[in-house]
Amino acid sequence: MDRSFVMIKPDGVQRGLGGEIISRLEAKGLKLVAARFEILPEARVTEQYKEHLAKPFFPGLKVYIMGGPVFLMVWEGRNVVSIVRKVIGATNPQEAMPGTIRGDFGIDIGRNVIHASDSQKSADREIAIHFRPSELTTYTRIDESVLYEY
Ligand code: IDP
Ligand code: MG
C-alpha cells in the first residue's frame, strides 16, 4: 500500500485544526500508520525543505515551521500521495478551492496550515527524515473490505 507524509504546521496546531484535519483524512478512507507531536529541530526542517534552500522565503519558512509544535503523520492508502494533495489544495490558500483544507482554513501562502508530500519519491524521503521504520505500524482497518473494490 502507498504511504504519504503529512504535517499539520504550527499555525494549524495553534488554530485548533488538528482534529478537523485528521477527521477529513480518516473519513476519506485513509489509514493513519504513524504520528508524532513535537517541535522540529532545525536540521530536520532544513532536510525536509532542502529543495527550497535558496528561495527568498526559506529563512521565514524555517522560523514559521519551528515556531511551535507540529503534528507529523504517515497516512496509507491506494494512491494516497495524490489523494492527500487534492484534499489539502493549492499551496497558496487564496487559490486553493473551497472544500480543500487550505481553501477552507487559510489565507496567506506563508501560513498554509498543512504539508503533504508531492510525489511518491518525496514521500519516501520525507517519511525517512522523520520516522524510523519500526515506528510505522501495520494493521488492517476494519472497514477496508468495503472501502476498496478489489
Ligand atoms: P507545497 O507545500 O504545496 O508543496 P512548496 O512550493 O513545496 O509548496 O513550498 C513549501 C512551503 O513553503 C509552502 O507550503 C509554504 O509554507 C512555503 N512557501 C512557498 N512559497 C512561499 C512564498 O512565496 N512565500 C512564503 N512561503 C512560501
Ligand atoms: Mg512541496
Side-chain angles (χ1 to χ4, degrees):
M1 207 43 107
D2 306 312
R3 286 174 176 158
S4 187
F5 172 70
V6 176
M7 175 175 80
I8 304 173
K9 295 178 175 180
D11 53 327
V13 170
Q14 292 289 347
R15 293 177 55 216
L17 296 172
E20 168 79 28
I21 288 168
I22 291 166
S23 283
R24 289 186 180 203
L25 297 173
E26 281 178 333
K28 178 69 179 166
L30 301 173
K31 179 162 70 179
L32 184 62
V33 297
R36 193 183 320 109
F37 189 73
E38 65 177 342
I39 298 179
L40 286 180
E42 187 174 357
R44 270 158 61 211
V45 177
T46 304
E47 188 57 30
Q48 164 77 35
Y49 286 111
K50 73 175 184 189
E51 65 175 305
H52 299 303
L53 229 66
K55 306 267 173 69
F57 62 79
F58 183 77
L61 175 62
K62 196 148 92 175
V63 171
Y64 159 47
I65 296 298
M66 294 178 66
V70 293
F71 199 58
L72 311 167
M73 295 170 281
V74 179
W75 287 85
E76 199 174 271
R78 189 173 294 158
N79 292 324
V80 62
V81 173
S82 78
I83 289 172
V84 176
R85 287 295 289 199
K86 290 188 188 104
V87 169
I88 76 171
T91 303
N92 186 344
Q94 310 224 3
E95 277 146 32
M97 296 292 288
T100 66
I101 292 168
R102 287 163 169 174
D104 287 349
F105 300 122
I107 295 178
D108 279 357
I109 189 168
R111 297 290 184 270
N112 62 359
V113 179
I114 185 165
H115 166 88
S117 309
D118 64 2
S119 67
Q120 191 58 61
K121 194 169 166 232
S122 306
D124 295 344
R125 191 184 80 82
E126 292 169 358
I127 290 168
I129 292 169
H130 298 289
F131 291 96
R132 290 187 299 275
S134 63
E135 291 180 286
L136 306 177
T137 61
T138 304
Y139 66 101
T140 303
R141 228 176 88 159
I142 205 149
D143 61 0
E144 275 173 44
S145 63
V146 287
L147 174 69
Y148 291 106
E149 183 186 0
Y150 54 88

